[in-house]
Amino acid sequence: MSSHGDPVPMTARPSGPLSGVAEVPGDKSVSHRALILGALAVGETRITGLLEGQDVLDTARAMRAFGAQVEREGEGLWSVRGVGVGGFSEPSDVIDCGNSGTGVRLIMGAMATTPITATFTGDASLRSRPMGRVTEPLALFGARAVGRAGGRLPMTVVGAPAPVPVRYAVPVPSAQVKSAVLLAGLNAPGQTVVIEREATRDHTERMLAGFGAEIVTEDGPEGRVITLTGQPELKPQTIAVPRDPSSAAFPVAAALIVEDSEVLVPGIGLNPTRAGFFTTLQEMGADLSFENARDEGGEPVADLRVRFSTLRGIEVPPERAPTMIDEYPILSAVAAFAEGTTVMRGVGELRVKESDRIDAMARGLEACGVRVEEDEETLIVHGLGPGGVPGGATVESRLDHRIAMSFLVLGLAARAPVTVDDASPIATSFPVFEELMRGLGARLERGGA
Ligand code: S3P
């Protein structure tokens, strides 16, 4: 929800070894999609392991506003009775997507080819983010959108009365844009084609196939070409949401930088379009082992064991960025404890996330005594080695869950405590972060140092 309560300062103190099992919550990307596709299917979709973070709860509420029956039956256990492709009804009030770019962009896509009108808003962070990247392709289907200057929320989308299929090359590497176009293509007759130069997370494609849509992905000279046949009848599914690798990244990072730690993170999703962070850590010398590799609900999953490691700085290949886009904040915190320099290029998309993540990390790291360099598309962190980060600062989280969690993890291994001015955004993606990290031995406390 867009109302933001009082800030919740939180402090991380230097901690002893972390140990135990970190059961991180369900994947945020998969959870949004399970609710949205469930709402577009005919019949009852059952979901286990749904992330009950605020972002996903806001999407659940939105699906109800469009006419689906969405019920929580137990912890992570949800039922969605869908209205069928093209069956959304017009919401009687503004749709508030809170902090969630994925929520608002995917829902705009899902309603854009139905002849209804909806107005969207969100919190101060979401209202500052660009929506033109989604409304431009939606206009090709025949939808119209009117928002604030620069394509910002609040924004009203008028769904196309007679949608036509489109062929669209996504100009920025964005799974949200790709997914919005595919969801819009569901209610257009004929074939909608999306082309992406670099492969981004493919949960929408996998899940659409699972729901019975005709969708084909081919790799060609232009990149990935995804062809969806419109107006399918989506068949309800039983979906087991894997644990979120982007949430797992935080306890994994903490175990790597707090001396003598060993942590097991069971059942995390390791879809190759999401796993770039772990590859990068291994290149830095991290001791990671993947156990019990298996497939759950169409997504590869494994248990990850991580031990404290002496890390070295590396240059992260820019083409890997789409597979670890949400992990650069925590990578730059980890890089502060590596020996040598970590260079992250081609990461300009970080500037339009929940906050400008290059700026947020650079300012916070500097406050903690770490030297950084940045330009529009680059972040460079000069590592100080294990135990070398001074800390002892208060850092702004800027309504950004991943910035808050990155600095709280950093504070566990710094020489002096690190305070985050507002940890409340963590509830958008990882509501049990504090409890889970404390369970491993992390010294996290409410309030300032
Ligand atoms: C997401 C896509 C990514 C990512 C976001 C979740 C998704 O955004 O940063 O947290 O679920 O599709 P972009 O598509 O804008 O890169």
Side-chain angles (χ1 to χ4, degrees):
M1 284 197 285
S2 65
S3 59
H4 194 73
D6 291 337
V8 178
M10 195 178 284
T11 298
R13 296 183 187 280
S15 300
L18 304 179
S19 66
V21 178
E23 295 195 330
V24 304
D27 191 285
K28 181 153 71 70
S29 294
V30 174
S31 295
H32 283 294
R33 288 160 172 81
L35 290 169
I36 296 169
L37 287 185
L40 291 170
V42 178
E44 185 190 7
T45 286
R46 300 190 63 79
I47 309 169
T48 56
L50 189 87
L51 168 65
E52 293 177 338
Q54 192 56 49
D55 279 10
V56 176
L57 298 178
D58 288 336
T59 289
R61 210 158 35 96
M63 290 302 98
R64 287 192 193 109
F66 282 99
Q69 270 182 47
V70 184
E71 274 158 43
R72 179 180 195 264
E73 297 182 344
E75 203 186 313
L77 180 62
W78 288 64
S79 152
V80 183
R81 279 180 200 278
V83 293
V85 168
F88 273 179
S89 47
E90 187 164 281
S92 58
D93 203 348
V94 173
I95 302 295
D96 186 344
C97 289
N99 191 249
S100 182
T102 306
V104 74
R105 292 182 176 132
L106 268 56
I107 297 168
M108 281 181 175
M111 59 75 57
T113 46
T114 302
I116 56 174
T117 295
T119 300
F120 297 88
T121 192
D123 70 5
S125 154
L126 193 57
R127 280 184 273 114
S128 73
R129 298 177 66 185
M131 295 298 142
R133 52 178 54 201
V134 169
T135 55
E136 276 158 31
L138 296 184
L140 304 175
F141 287 96
R144 286 182 296 125
V146 184
R148 287 192 305 128
R152 293 335 198 236
L153 303 179
M155 178 174 274
T156 296
V157 179
V158 181
V164 290
V166 311
R167 183 180 174 88
Y168 188 68
V170 185
V172 283
S174 167
Q176 293 176 359
V177 176
K178 168 179 68 177
S179 300
V181 176
L182 289 172
L183 292 171
L186 276 177
N187 200 36
Q191 292 190 323
T192 286
V193 180
V194 185
I195 301 146
E196 54 177 7
R197 222 174 320 123
E198 296 158 274
T200 63
R201 66 191 68 195
D202 62 358
H203 306 298
T204 305
E205 297 92 301
R206 286 176 188 245
M207 210 183 278
L208 276 169
F211 273 84
E214 210 178 303
I215 181 163
V216 180
T217 300
E218 289 157 310
D219 287 320
E222 329 159 79
R224 223 168 229 210
V225 182
I226 306 151
T227 305
L228 171 73
T229 303
Q231 300 182 324
E233 179 172 312
L234 298 182
K235 310 253 180 326
Q237 297 299 299
T238 299
I239 298 171
V241 179
R243 297 181 192 275
D244 198 326
S246 298
S247 295
F250 296 100
V252 166
L256 284 174
I257 61 176
V258 174
E259 230 172 288
D260 295 331
S261 297
E262 177 172 339
V263 168
L264 180 71
V265 193
I268 59 166
L270 285 172
N271 180 317
T273 61
R274 294 288 298 283
F277 177 60
F278 303 115
T279 308
T280 299
L281 290 178
Q282 284 175 318
E283 287 174 4
M284 295 172 80
D287 180 349
L288 303 182
S289 53
F290 296 91
E291 302 168 2
N292 290 320
R294 55 201 185 269
D295 201 272
E296 278 177 14
E299 295 278 350
V301 160
D303 307 330
L304 173 53
R305 189 176 298 280
V306 49
R307 297 183 183 86
F308 167 78
S309 307
T310 302
L311 302 170
R312 55 184 174 273
I314 62 160
E315 172 130 15
V316 184
E319 62 277 10
R320 192 179 291 155
T323 69
M324 54 174 290
I325 194 67
D326 291 337
E327 283 65 75
Y328 282 97
I330 186 60
L331 176 65
S332 51
V334 168
F337 296 90
E339 281 161 0
T341 300
T342 297
V343 180
M344 295 163 267
R345 293 193 202 281
V347 294
E349 274 294 298
L350 295 181
R351 296 211 182 263
V352 290
K353 296 294 178 188
E354 286 83 332
S355 68
D356 175 342
R357 287 180 170 164
I358 294 180
D359 190 64
M361 288 311 299
R363 301 294 79 76
L365 285 169
E366 282 168 352
C368 292
V370 182
R371 196 159 70 78
V372 300
E373 293 168 66
E374 64 173 299
D375 67 26
E376 207 36 44
E377 296 269 335
T378 311
L379 180 60
I380 297 172
V381 177
H382 296 280
L384 294 165
V389 176
T394 295
V395 171
E396 282 179 23
S397 64
R398 307 188 185 186
L399 287 181
D400 189 330
H401 53 135
R402 299 198 202 282
I403 299 301
M405 290 187 278
S406 297
F407 282 106
L408 290 170
V409 166
L410 179 141
L412 303 176
R415 291 205 205 121
V418 172
T419 299
V420 163
D421 68 338
D422 183 13
S424 65
I426 294 172
T428 61
S429 70
F430 198 162
V432 297
F433 173 80
E434 185 183 354
E435 180 189 327
L436 179 146
M437 294 301 294
R438 279 213 196 110
L440 300 175
R443 292 177 63 207
L444 289 182
E445 287 160 24
R446 297 284 175 116

mmCIF file of all heavy atoms in Angstrom, residues 27-30 32-33 102 105-106 129 133 173-179 200-201 203-204 274 325-326 349 352-354 357 401-402, ligand 1:
data_model
loop_
_atom_site.group_PDB
_atom_site.id
_atom_site.type_symbol
_atom_site.label_atom_id
_atom_site.label_comp_id
_atom_site.label_asym_id
_atom_site.label_seq_id
_atom_site.Cartn_x
_atom_site.Cartn_y
_atom_site.Cartn_z
ATOM 1 N N ASP A 27 9.513 -16.905 -3.907
ATOM 2 C CA ASP A 27 10.040 -15.993 -4.922
ATOM 3 C C ASP A 27 9.007 -14.906 -5.257
ATOM 4 O O ASP A 27 7.851 -15.191 -5.578
ATOM 5 C CB ASP A 27 10.352 -16.816 -6.174
ATOM 6 C CG ASP A 27 11.128 -16.024 -7.177
ATOM 7 O OD1 ASP A 27 10.532 -15.151 -7.853
ATOM 8 O OD2 ASP A 27 12.328 -16.258 -7.288
ATOM 9 N N LYS A 28 9.467 -13.677 -5.215
ATOM 10 C CA LYS A 28 8.568 -12.546 -5.444
ATOM 11 C C LYS A 28 8.070 -12.527 -6.891
ATOM 12 O O LYS A 28 6.874 -12.356 -7.140
ATOM 13 C CB LYS A 28 9.303 -11.239 -5.087
ATOM 14 C CG LYS A 28 8.474 -9.989 -5.259
ATOM 15 C CD LYS A 28 8.937 -8.889 -4.328
ATOM 16 C CE LYS A 28 10.267 -8.273 -4.687
ATOM 17 N NZ LYS A 28 10.217 -7.446 -5.914
ATOM 18 N N SER A 29 8.977 -12.711 -7.828
ATOM 19 C CA SER A 29 8.586 -12.670 -9.250
ATOM 20 C C SER A 29 7.571 -13.766 -9.561
ATOM 21 O O SER A 29 6.567 -13.536 -10.248
ATOM 22 C CB SER A 29 9.818 -12.864 -10.137
ATOM 23 O OG SER A 29 10.685 -11.781 -10.002
ATOM 24 N N VAL A 30 7.838 -14.972 -9.069
ATOM 25 C CA VAL A 30 6.947 -16.107 -9.349
ATOM 26 C C VAL A 30 5.604 -15.883 -8.641
ATOM 27 O O VAL A 30 4.544 -16.188 -9.187
ATOM 28 C CB VAL A 30 7.609 -17.435 -8.904
ATOM 29 C CG1 VAL A 30 6.647 -18.607 -9.060
ATOM 30 C CG2 VAL A 30 8.887 -17.685 -9.707
ATOM 31 N N HIS A 32 3.997 -12.997 -7.887
ATOM 32 C CA HIS A 32 3.151 -12.050 -8.640
ATOM 33 C C HIS A 32 2.496 -12.762 -9.825
ATOM 34 O O HIS A 32 1.304 -12.617 -10.090
ATOM 35 C CB HIS A 32 4.001 -10.917 -9.235
ATOM 36 C CG HIS A 32 4.419 -9.850 -8.268
ATOM 37 N ND1 HIS A 32 3.525 -9.003 -7.665
ATOM 38 C CD2 HIS A 32 5.646 -9.464 -7.849
ATOM 39 C CE1 HIS A 32 4.183 -8.133 -6.908
ATOM 40 N NE2 HIS A 32 5.469 -8.395 -6.994
ATOM 41 N N ARG A 33 3.310 -13.505 -10.558
ATOM 42 C CA ARG A 33 2.819 -14.137 -11.791
ATOM 43 C C ARG A 33 1.780 -15.212 -11.488
ATOM 44 O O ARG A 33 0.822 -15.397 -12.244
ATOM 45 C CB ARG A 33 4.005 -14.716 -12.574
ATOM 46 C CG ARG A 33 4.855 -13.601 -13.204
ATOM 47 C CD ARG A 33 6.251 -14.107 -13.533
ATOM 48 N NE ARG A 33 7.048 -13.152 -14.308
ATOM 49 C CZ ARG A 33 7.698 -12.107 -13.796
ATOM 50 N NH1 ARG A 33 7.637 -11.833 -12.500
ATOM 51 N NH2 ARG A 33 8.421 -11.309 -14.574
ATOM 52 N N THR A 102 7.045 -4.446 -10.354
ATOM 53 C CA THR A 102 6.603 -5.664 -11.042
ATOM 54 C C THR A 102 5.080 -5.727 -11.013
ATOM 55 O O THR A 102 4.439 -5.976 -12.038
ATOM 56 C CB THR A 102 7.186 -6.918 -10.360
ATOM 57 O OG1 THR A 102 8.603 -6.769 -10.289
ATOM 58 C CG2 THR A 102 6.847 -8.167 -11.125
ATOM 59 N N ARG A 105 3.461 -2.964 -13.371
ATOM 60 C CA ARG A 105 3.721 -3.122 -14.809
ATOM 61 C C ARG A 105 3.051 -4.377 -15.353
ATOM 62 O O ARG A 105 2.481 -4.361 -16.455
ATOM 63 C CB ARG A 105 5.222 -3.110 -15.058
ATOM 64 C CG ARG A 105 5.818 -1.726 -14.762
ATOM 65 C CD ARG A 105 7.297 -1.686 -15.046
ATOM 66 N NE ARG A 105 7.846 -0.346 -14.863
ATOM 67 C CZ ARG A 105 8.956 -0.080 -14.166
ATOM 68 N NH1 ARG A 105 9.619 -1.055 -13.581
ATOM 69 N NH2 ARG A 105 9.402 1.152 -14.073
ATOM 70 N N LEU A 106 3.102 -5.471 -14.607
ATOM 71 C CA LEU A 106 2.464 -6.693 -15.099
ATOM 72 C C LEU A 106 0.940 -6.534 -15.131
ATOM 73 O O LEU A 106 0.269 -6.997 -16.059
ATOM 74 C CB LEU A 106 2.867 -7.900 -14.237
ATOM 75 C CG LEU A 106 4.100 -8.668 -14.742
ATOM 76 C CD1 LEU A 106 5.314 -7.785 -14.887
ATOM 77 C CD2 LEU A 106 4.407 -9.856 -13.855
ATOM 78 N N ARG A 129 9.002 6.226 -10.599
ATOM 79 C CA ARG A 129 9.612 5.317 -11.578
ATOM 80 C C ARG A 129 8.930 5.418 -12.947
ATOM 81 O O ARG A 129 7.732 5.672 -13.030
ATOM 82 C CB ARG A 129 9.576 3.880 -11.041
ATOM 83 C CG ARG A 129 10.376 3.767 -9.754
ATOM 84 C CD ARG A 129 10.309 2.384 -9.157
ATOM 85 N NE ARG A 129 10.964 1.389 -10.000
ATOM 86 C CZ ARG A 129 10.957 0.079 -9.731
ATOM 87 N NH1 ARG A 129 10.309 -0.367 -8.675
ATOM 88 N NH2 ARG A 129 11.584 -0.761 -10.518
ATOM 89 N N ARG A 133 8.073 2.836 -20.424
ATOM 90 C CA ARG A 133 8.647 1.623 -21.004
ATOM 91 C C ARG A 133 7.582 0.527 -21.172
ATOM 92 O O ARG A 133 7.763 -0.382 -21.968
ATOM 93 C CB ARG A 133 9.821 1.136 -20.157
ATOM 94 C CG ARG A 133 9.467 0.986 -18.693
ATOM 95 C CD ARG A 133 10.597 0.447 -17.838
ATOM 96 N NE ARG A 133 11.843 1.183 -17.932
ATOM 97 C CZ ARG A 133 13.017 0.680 -17.605
ATOM 98 N NH1 ARG A 133 13.132 -0.553 -17.149
ATOM 99 N NH2 ARG A 133 14.114 1.388 -17.708
ATOM 100 N N PRO A 173 16.871 -4.194 -21.195
ATOM 101 C CA PRO A 173 16.708 -5.559 -20.671
ATOM 102 C C PRO A 173 15.769 -5.541 -19.477
ATOM 103 O O PRO A 173 16.164 -5.180 -18.374
ATOM 104 C CB PRO A 173 18.136 -5.965 -20.267
ATOM 105 C CG PRO A 173 18.869 -4.676 -20.077
ATOM 106 C CD PRO A 173 18.187 -3.631 -20.901
ATOM 107 N N SER A 174 14.499 -5.891 -19.668
ATOM 108 C CA SER A 174 13.524 -5.816 -18.581
ATOM 109 C C SER A 174 12.480 -6.923 -18.698
ATOM 110 O O SER A 174 11.691 -6.957 -19.643
ATOM 111 C CB SER A 174 12.822 -4.454 -18.594
ATOM 112 O OG SER A 174 11.690 -4.502 -17.747
ATOM 113 N N ALA A 175 12.489 -7.795 -17.698
ATOM 114 C CA ALA A 175 11.485 -8.867 -17.655
ATOM 115 C C ALA A 175 10.107 -8.293 -17.386
ATOM 116 O O ALA A 175 9.096 -8.888 -17.768
ATOM 117 C CB ALA A 175 11.848 -9.872 -16.573
ATOM 118 N N GLN A 176 10.053 -7.148 -16.733
ATOM 119 C CA GLN A 176 8.744 -6.538 -16.469
ATOM 120 C C GLN A 176 8.105 -6.077 -17.774
ATOM 121 O O GLN A 176 6.913 -6.288 -18.004
ATOM 122 C CB GLN A 176 8.885 -5.365 -15.494
ATOM 123 C CG GLN A 176 9.310 -5.818 -14.108
ATOM 124 C CD GLN A 176 9.540 -4.667 -13.157
ATOM 125 O OE1 GLN A 176 9.402 -3.503 -13.535
ATOM 126 N NE2 GLN A 176 9.895 -4.981 -11.927
ATOM 127 N N VAL A 177 8.887 -5.442 -18.636
ATOM 128 C CA VAL A 177 8.350 -4.969 -19.916
ATOM 129 C C VAL A 177 7.958 -6.173 -20.778
ATOM 130 O O VAL A 177 6.849 -6.232 -21.327
ATOM 131 C CB VAL A 177 9.369 -4.059 -20.641
ATOM 132 C CG1 VAL A 177 8.840 -3.666 -22.011
ATOM 133 C CG2 VAL A 177 9.669 -2.824 -19.795
ATOM 134 N N LYS A 178 8.873 -7.137 -20.879
ATOM 135 C CA LYS A 178 8.566 -8.349 -21.662
ATOM 136 C C LYS A 178 7.272 -8.983 -21.181
ATOM 137 O O LYS A 178 6.386 -9.337 -21.969
ATOM 138 C CB LYS A 178 9.728 -9.345 -21.515
ATOM 139 C CG LYS A 178 9.428 -10.737 -22.029
ATOM 140 C CD LYS A 178 10.606 -11.690 -21.885
ATOM 141 C CE LYS A 178 10.930 -12.023 -20.439
ATOM 142 N NZ LYS A 178 12.035 -13.003 -20.338
ATOM 143 N N SER A 179 7.142 -9.103 -19.854
ATOM 144 C CA SER A 179 5.978 -9.783 -19.285
ATOM 145 C C SER A 179 4.704 -8.984 -19.519
ATOM 146 O O SER A 179 3.642 -9.554 -19.792
ATOM 147 C CB SER A 179 6.181 -10.013 -17.788
ATOM 148 O OG SER A 179 7.330 -10.800 -17.585
ATOM 149 N N THR A 200 16.233 -12.147 -20.126
ATOM 150 C CA THR A 200 15.894 -11.765 -18.754
ATOM 151 C C THR A 200 15.068 -12.899 -18.142
ATOM 152 O O THR A 200 14.734 -13.865 -18.822
ATOM 153 C CB THR A 200 15.068 -10.461 -18.721
ATOM 154 O OG1 THR A 200 13.828 -10.692 -19.390
ATOM 155 C CG2 THR A 200 15.819 -9.317 -19.399
ATOM 156 N N ARG A 201 14.727 -12.760 -16.865
ATOM 157 C CA ARG A 201 14.035 -13.852 -16.166
ATOM 158 C C ARG A 201 12.821 -14.309 -16.969
ATOM 159 O O ARG A 201 12.073 -13.476 -17.502
ATOM 160 C CB ARG A 201 13.671 -13.439 -14.739
ATOM 161 C CG ARG A 201 12.675 -12.344 -14.622
ATOM 162 C CD ARG A 201 12.588 -11.822 -13.187
ATOM 163 N NE ARG A 201 13.826 -11.138 -12.827
ATOM 164 C CZ ARG A 201 14.188 -10.821 -11.591
ATOM 165 N NH1 ARG A 201 13.413 -11.129 -10.579
ATOM 166 N NH2 ARG A 201 15.315 -10.204 -11.354
ATOM 167 N N HIS A 203 10.187 -16.396 -16.023
ATOM 168 C CA HIS A 203 9.103 -17.035 -15.258
ATOM 169 C C HIS A 203 7.751 -16.903 -15.972
ATOM 170 O O HIS A 203 6.920 -17.801 -15.898
ATOM 171 C CB HIS A 203 8.980 -16.413 -13.869
ATOM 172 C CG HIS A 203 10.252 -16.402 -13.097
ATOM 173 N ND1 HIS A 203 10.913 -17.554 -12.744
ATOM 174 C CD2 HIS A 203 10.999 -15.377 -12.597
ATOM 175 C CE1 HIS A 203 12.004 -17.232 -12.057
ATOM 176 N NE2 HIS A 203 12.079 -15.922 -11.965
ATOM 177 N N THR A 204 7.520 -15.767 -16.634
ATOM 178 C CA THR A 204 6.231 -15.582 -17.315
ATOM 179 C C THR A 204 6.067 -16.621 -18.425
ATOM 180 O O THR A 204 5.005 -17.249 -18.549
ATOM 181 C CB THR A 204 6.146 -14.160 -17.915
ATOM 182 O OG1 THR A 204 6.386 -13.230 -16.867
ATOM 183 C CG2 THR A 204 4.788 -13.879 -18.532
ATOM 184 N N ARG A 274 18.229 -16.227 -13.221
ATOM 185 C CA ARG A 274 18.239 -15.558 -11.918
ATOM 186 C C ARG A 274 19.517 -15.817 -11.119
ATOM 187 O O ARG A 274 19.682 -15.237 -10.036
ATOM 188 C CB ARG A 274 17.056 -16.072 -11.074
ATOM 189 C CG ARG A 274 15.693 -15.724 -11.588
ATOM 190 C CD ARG A 274 15.351 -14.270 -11.414
ATOM 191 N NE ARG A 274 15.318 -13.875 -10.003
ATOM 192 C CZ ARG A 274 14.319 -14.148 -9.163
ATOM 193 N NH1 ARG A 274 13.255 -14.808 -9.581
ATOM 194 N NH2 ARG A 274 14.368 -13.741 -7.908
ATOM 195 N N ILE A 325 20.308 -8.748 -11.638
ATOM 196 C CA ILE A 325 20.085 -7.302 -11.562
ATOM 197 C C ILE A 325 19.717 -6.840 -10.146
ATOM 198 O O ILE A 325 20.149 -5.774 -9.700
ATOM 199 C CB ILE A 325 19.050 -6.850 -12.627
ATOM 200 C CG1 ILE A 325 19.073 -5.332 -12.774
ATOM 201 C CG2 ILE A 325 17.651 -7.355 -12.346
ATOM 202 C CD1 ILE A 325 20.334 -4.777 -13.367
ATOM 203 N N ASP A 326 18.961 -7.662 -9.424
ATOM 204 C CA ASP A 326 18.550 -7.241 -8.070
ATOM 205 C C ASP A 326 19.634 -7.493 -7.020
ATOM 206 O O ASP A 326 19.471 -7.097 -5.860
ATOM 207 C CB ASP A 326 17.266 -7.972 -7.663
ATOM 208 C CG ASP A 326 16.070 -7.498 -8.478
ATOM 209 O OD1 ASP A 326 16.124 -6.366 -9.006
ATOM 210 O OD2 ASP A 326 15.091 -8.257 -8.590
ATOM 211 N N GLU A 349 20.487 0.161 -15.422
ATOM 212 C CA GLU A 349 19.099 -0.124 -15.004
ATOM 213 C C GLU A 349 18.907 0.032 -13.492
ATOM 214 O O GLU A 349 17.798 0.244 -13.020
ATOM 215 C CB GLU A 349 18.705 -1.550 -15.430
ATOM 216 C CG GLU A 349 18.162 -1.645 -16.842
ATOM 217 C CD GLU A 349 16.820 -0.928 -17.022
ATOM 218 O OE1 GLU A 349 15.856 -1.298 -16.379
ATOM 219 O OE2 GLU A 349 16.780 0.021 -17.823
ATOM 220 N N VAL A 352 16.903 2.992 -12.009
ATOM 221 C CA VAL A 352 15.434 3.140 -12.039
ATOM 222 C C VAL A 352 14.731 2.023 -11.262
ATOM 223 O O VAL A 352 13.601 1.656 -11.571
ATOM 224 C CB VAL A 352 14.892 3.248 -13.487
ATOM 225 C CG1 VAL A 352 15.300 4.566 -14.111
ATOM 226 C CG2 VAL A 352 15.354 2.081 -14.360
ATOM 227 N N LYS A 353 15.391 1.492 -10.258
ATOM 228 C CA LYS A 353 14.752 0.490 -9.388
ATOM 229 C C LYS A 353 14.004 1.224 -8.270
ATOM 230 O O LYS A 353 13.703 2.404 -8.386
ATOM 231 C CB LYS A 353 15.808 -0.472 -8.854
ATOM 232 C CG LYS A 353 16.484 -1.292 -9.938
ATOM 233 C CD LYS A 353 15.516 -2.234 -10.601
ATOM 234 C CE LYS A 353 16.172 -3.031 -11.713
ATOM 235 N NZ LYS A 353 15.192 -3.805 -12.483
ATOM 236 N N GLU A 354 13.737 0.522 -7.150
ATOM 237 C CA GLU A 354 12.983 1.144 -6.061
ATOM 238 C C GLU A 354 13.643 2.441 -5.608
ATOM 239 O O GLU A 354 13.000 3.351 -5.071
ATOM 240 C CB GLU A 354 12.832 0.169 -4.896
ATOM 241 C CG GLU A 354 11.811 -0.949 -5.146
ATOM 242 C CD GLU A 354 12.343 -2.132 -5.936
ATOM 243 O OE1 GLU A 354 13.276 -1.958 -6.762
ATOM 244 O OE2 GLU A 354 11.828 -3.246 -5.739
ATOM 245 N N ARG A 357 19.846 2.786 -7.239
ATOM 246 C CA ARG A 357 20.668 1.882 -6.403
ATOM 247 C C ARG A 357 22.162 2.126 -6.536
ATOM 248 O O ARG A 357 22.924 1.770 -5.629
ATOM 249 C CB ARG A 357 20.310 0.418 -6.713
ATOM 250 C CG ARG A 357 18.958 0.039 -6.150
ATOM 251 C CD ARG A 357 18.559 -1.388 -6.427
ATOM 252 N NE ARG A 357 17.363 -1.714 -5.636
ATOM 253 C CZ ARG A 357 16.583 -2.761 -5.861
ATOM 254 N NH1 ARG A 357 16.851 -3.592 -6.854
ATOM 255 N NH2 ARG A 357 15.534 -2.987 -5.091
ATOM 256 N N HIS A 401 13.892 -1.848 -0.131
ATOM 257 C CA HIS A 401 14.158 -3.027 0.706
ATOM 258 C C HIS A 401 15.575 -3.560 0.537
ATOM 259 O O HIS A 401 16.233 -3.930 1.509
ATOM 260 C CB HIS A 401 13.123 -4.119 0.397
ATOM 261 C CG HIS A 401 12.990 -4.472 -1.061
ATOM 262 N ND1 HIS A 401 12.922 -5.756 -1.527
ATOM 263 C CD2 HIS A 401 12.919 -3.699 -2.192
ATOM 264 C CE1 HIS A 401 12.800 -5.765 -2.840
ATOM 265 N NE2 HIS A 401 12.799 -4.529 -3.262
ATOM 266 N N ARG A 402 16.044 -3.612 -0.722
ATOM 267 C CA ARG A 402 17.358 -4.246 -0.927
ATOM 268 C C ARG A 402 18.506 -3.362 -0.439
ATOM 269 O O ARG A 402 19.571 -3.858 -0.067
ATOM 270 C CB ARG A 402 17.543 -4.636 -2.395
ATOM 271 C CG ARG A 402 16.485 -5.639 -2.850
ATOM 272 C CD ARG A 402 16.859 -6.373 -4.119
ATOM 273 N NE ARG A 402 15.664 -6.898 -4.772
ATOM 274 C CZ ARG A 402 15.000 -7.996 -4.387
ATOM 275 N NH1 ARG A 402 15.420 -8.708 -3.371
ATOM 276 N NH2 ARG A 402 13.919 -8.384 -5.037
HETATM 277 C C1 S3P B 1 11.303 -8.401 -12.095
HETATM 278 C C2 S3P B 1 12.127 -7.888 -13.053
HETATM 279 C C3 S3P B 1 13.249 -6.996 -12.750
HETATM 280 C C4 S3P B 1 13.605 -6.991 -11.275
HETATM 281 C C5 S3P B 1 12.407 -6.936 -10.400
HETATM 282 C C6 S3P B 1 11.502 -8.132 -10.669
HETATM 283 C C7 S3P B 1 10.195 -9.276 -12.512
HETATM 284 O O1 S3P B 1 12.897 -5.683 -13.133
HETATM 285 O O2 S3P B 1 14.473 -5.925 -10.973
HETATM 286 O O3 S3P B 1 12.770 -6.955 -9.038
HETATM 287 O O4 S3P B 1 9.607 -9.978 -11.653
HETATM 288 O O5 S3P B 1 9.894 -9.308 -13.711
HETATM 289 P P1 S3P B 1 13.122 -5.183 -14.650
HETATM 290 O O6 S3P B 1 12.316 -6.029 -15.517
HETATM 291 O O7 S3P B 1 12.648 -3.759 -14.703
HETATM 292 O O8 S3P B 1 14.588 -5.321 -14.877
#
